Amino acid sequence: EDKVVQSPLSLVVHEGDTVTLNCSYEVTNFRSLLWYKQEKKAPTFLFMLTSSGIEKKSGRLSSILDKKELSSILNITATQTGDSAIYLCAVCKSNYQLIWGAGTKLIIKP
Amino acid sequence: NAGVTQTPKFRVLKTGQSMTLLCAQDMNHEYMYWYRQDPGMGLRLIHYSVGEGTTAKGEVPDGYNVSRLKKQNFLLGLESAAPSQTSVYFCASSWSTDTQYFGPGTRLTVL
């Protein structure tokens, strides 16, 4: 059975800290891994990682895919209160279906 | 460009009642999806569609039906609502690629 597991489930840090969120997967017919940020409403797309693009960076956020270890990390440096959200990891299969993790709830304290 | 829209935003039903959730997208996407999101469980796929006139079952299809009569619309129906269907429902759409774009969600409570 396909599964995506995120850790930790929740995390509380202070503004300015650096955080690392983890995502591991066991999914057949892997196509890509995606990270989304969910604040109060709909998830919004952050990154997509594939075999040909295993590292992405945007501002203070960066992500790496380790296909050997079947995992990915999302790093956020110099965190701000606006980074508080649920971060979702999903694996896209070859039929374009996404298998989602339960998410990591990140709280940034001022 | 409105993107993906969902109606209604909130709804309260009594057990046994029926309702339809409407999803509309103006991005000419082929693929559309219905998910439910429950605390601690992430997003679970209910049904999806790979094009106008097609539908397929996802991970948790029981108790739901869908229709895709027009490319831009994807309807989710609950024929006889149950308290276990209390959830937040998200619609999403995509081209035949990996990235999905989400609607704002519908919060449904079944009493």
Side-chain angles (χ1 to χ4, degrees):
Chain A
E1 184 183 341
D2 296 327
K3 63 179 179 180
V4 176
V5 178
Q6 293 186 245
S7 63
L9 290 180
S10 64
L11 185 59
V12 181
V13 300
H14 288 283
E15 209 168 15
D17 288 349
T18 293
V19 298
T20 298
L21 310 182
N22 300 284
C23 175
S24 64
Y25 61 90
E26 293 178 26
V27 176
T28 56
N29 301 312
F30 174 93
R31 176 180 166 85
S32 64
L33 185 144
L34 298 95
W35 285 97
Y36 281 77
K37 177 182 182 182
Q38 186 176 22
E39 295 174 89
K40 292 189 177 178
K41 292 191 175 180
T44 53
F45 172 75
L46 291 175
F47 296 121
M48 182 175 77
L49 302 161
T50 66
S51 300
S52 57
I54 61 171
E55 189 167 353
K56 291 286 175 72
K57 183 176 172 62
S58 176
R60 298 178 293 104
L61 277 66
S62 62
S63 184
I64 297 173
L65 174 66
D66 187 336
K67 284 211 72 181
K68 186 177 177 183
E69 296 296 326
L70 305 184
S71 65
S72 175
I73 60 170
L74 176 68
N75 279 324
I76 309 175
T77 60
T79 52
Q80 303 170 356
T81 55
D83 296 326
S84 294
I86 297 173
Y87 289 84
L88 297 167
C89 171
V91 171
C92 184
K93 299 178 59 141
S94 56
N95 61 359
Y96 300 112
Q97 283 194 49
L98 295 184
I99 310 298
W100 294 84
T104 294
K105 184 174 184 179
L106 177 63
I107 297 173
I108 311 295
K109 288 189 170 182
Chain B
N1 249 1
V4 181
T5 59
Q6 292 181 232
T7 52
K9 289 186 171 52
F10 303 93
R11 186 72 186 268
V12 178
L13 290 178
K14 294 181 180 178
T15 297
Q17 287 185 318
S18 63
M19 76 163 295
T20 300
L21 306 183
L22 171 64
C23 176
Q25 52 95 4
D26 61 3
M27 297 177 281
N28 202 34
H29 286 168
E30 288 292 338
Y31 286 54
M32 296 187 76
Y33 311 82
W34 275 107
Y35 292 96
R36 60 178 289 173
Q37 187 176 36
D38 302 295
M41 299 192 74
L43 288 157
R44 292 186 290 169
L45 183 64
I46 304 171
H47 287 279
Y48 65 102
S49 168
V50 300
E52 181 178 318
T54 74
T55 63
K57 294 181 180 180
E59 182 185 354
V60 289
D62 293 343
Y64 305 95
N65 57 75
V66 288
S67 65
R68 183 104 180 264
L69 298 179
K70 292 183 179 181
K71 186 177 184 178
Q72 63 267 34
N73 295 337
F74 195 28
L75 278 65
L76 177 70
L78 286 73
E79 291 182 347
S80 179
S84 61
Q85 294 177 304
T86 294
S87 189
V88 179
Y89 291 85
F90 286 103
C91 175
S93 70
S94 69
W95 287 286
S96 56
T97 58
D98 314 51
T99 307
Q100 295 180 10
Y101 298 86
F102 284 81
T106 295
R107 186 174 294 275
L108 175 66
T109 302
V110 183
L111 303 175

